[in-house]
Amino acid sequence: MPRLSEVIAALDVLWPPERAEEWDAVGTVCGDPGAEVTRVLFAVDPVQEIADEAIAVGADLIVTHHPLYLRGTTTVAASHFKGRVVHTLIKHDIALHVAHTNADTADPGVSDALAGALGLRVTGPLVPENGLGRICELDHPLTLREFGARAAQRLPATAQGIRVAGDPDAIVRRVAVSGGSGDSLFDVVRAAGVDAYLTADLRHHPASEATQHPSPSGKLGLVDAAHWATEWPWCEQAAAQLDEISDRHGWDLRVHVSKTVTDPWSSHHTSGAPN
């Protein structure tokens, strides 16, 4: 069995920590570098439900996309929910490793996994300077309505579901995708000349402006999915990458992907009050 330090070294090749944004908190949160690793659990969020799942499957290591402590802390007391996660992990000899913005810009990275889940062909990065996001082509043209339905069918189910902005009958051939929050990229999306943009966490004003602003291919269609749903496909991609490394090194790791929905929204009601 490999040591934790060996597994982390392999993961750092996949998602080099130096590629993370300066504000980010990636790398190993807890764990003994000399401890043996036999099972690994991949998940989006390092929350208590994931820690409990790791215990249930006998994992020695959790790899998450989101950091546990993004802004730092002065305490890991178990009286706080994040501290309770740390106590749970240490008590059960479970390490935690984070690959966040360094996984966003990796090749393959988060947006490649998102494109793959949607059956899209990647033609290049959305932001060439750092490799963020992807420009993609559909296997055959769809209306914006049909493309939104494809996203709803192929991404994990969440309370939010899929929101679509734009002419539902507009034809979509080229799309941009970016896993996670993506409304900071509207300028580069418009410049890319795509027909639609699929991402998460779209806010009212940026979305409204984006649908009204003409682009080289006409008005932009928007497909807004839940943040968690756009990043969960990366877990499966990352697990497959570690499986390949394990086979190459003869590690015989058991790799699991959590299917626990850790999206914070739990229900959805369509509003119908009169104006």
Side-chain angles (χ1 to χ4, degrees):
M1 291 294 106
R3 303 291 178 181
L4 175 63
S5 59
E6 296 175 281
V7 177
I8 297 304
L11 298 182
D12 283 347
V13 172
L14 296 177
W15 317 299
E18 61 270 18
R19 289 183 64 93
E21 297 285 347
E22 291 184 2
W23 51 262
D24 204 0
V26 302
T28 305
V29 178
C30 64
D32 179 355
E36 288 188 345
V37 176
T38 59
R39 292 181 185 268
V40 183
L41 178 67
F42 284 86
V44 175
D45 298 298
V47 293
Q48 188 64 43
E49 294 94 328
I50 299 302
D52 293 340
E53 184 176 350
I55 296 169
V57 302
D60 314 289
L61 168 63
I62 302 172
V63 179
T64 64
H65 183 51
H66 290 153
L68 179 62
Y69 288 105
L70 183 58
R71 294 177 177 83
T73 185
T74 59
T75 177
V76 293
S79 54
H80 187 270
F81 72 94
K82 291 189 177 185
R84 187 164 67 252
V85 171
V86 174
H87 278 252
T88 300
L89 296 179
I90 293 176
K91 187 180 297 183
H92 292 88
D93 295 320
I94 301 171
L96 172 62
H97 186 78
V98 173
H100 191 211
T101 53
N102 50 327
D104 288 332
T105 58
D107 185 9
V110 171
S111 293
D112 294 287
L114 176 58
L118 295 168
L120 305 175
R121 182 173 68 88
V122 173
T123 61
L126 175 60
V127 186
E129 294 79 10
N130 62 8
L132 187 63
R134 293 294 182 264
I135 302 292
C136 309
E137 293 182 351
L138 276 72
D139 47 4
H140 59 273
L142 298 174
T143 65
L144 181 60
R145 179 189 294 106
E146 290 169 332
F147 181 58
R150 176 187 284 198
Q153 180 184 39
R154 299 193 181 188
L155 292 180
T158 60
Q160 172 185 313
I162 301 294
R163 302 189 299 177
V164 177
D167 178 1
D169 295 318
I171 299 300
V172 176
R173 296 181 177 86
R174 298 181 71 242
V175 302
V177 301
S178 183
S181 303
D183 63 14
S184 64
L185 299 176
F186 275 136
D187 287 344
V188 68
V189 168
R190 278 192 292 269
V194 296
D195 305 305
Y197 178 37
L198 186 148
T199 188
D201 295 341
L202 292 182
R203 295 169 296 164
H204 175 90
H205 292 295
S208 177
E209 293 172 3
T211 57
Q212 297 301 315
H213 196 295
S215 68
S217 58
K219 289 188 176 180
L220 181 68
L222 302 179
V223 181
D224 182 41
H227 190 119
W228 175 86
T230 65
E231 294 180 330
W232 184 84
W234 171 80
C235 296
E236 289 195 323
Q237 175 182 276
Q241 289 176 286
L242 182 57
D243 262 333
E244 190 277 328
I245 292 171
S246 174
D247 290 344
R248 187 174 355 120
H249 290 286
W251 286 348
D252 196 29
L253 289 176
R254 299 292 183 267
V255 180
H256 304 263
V257 175
S258 175
K259 291 183 170 55
T260 301
V261 178
T262 55
D263 185 79
W265 305 107
S266 58
S267 63
H268 173 84
H269 303 276
T270 301
S271 56
N275 292 329

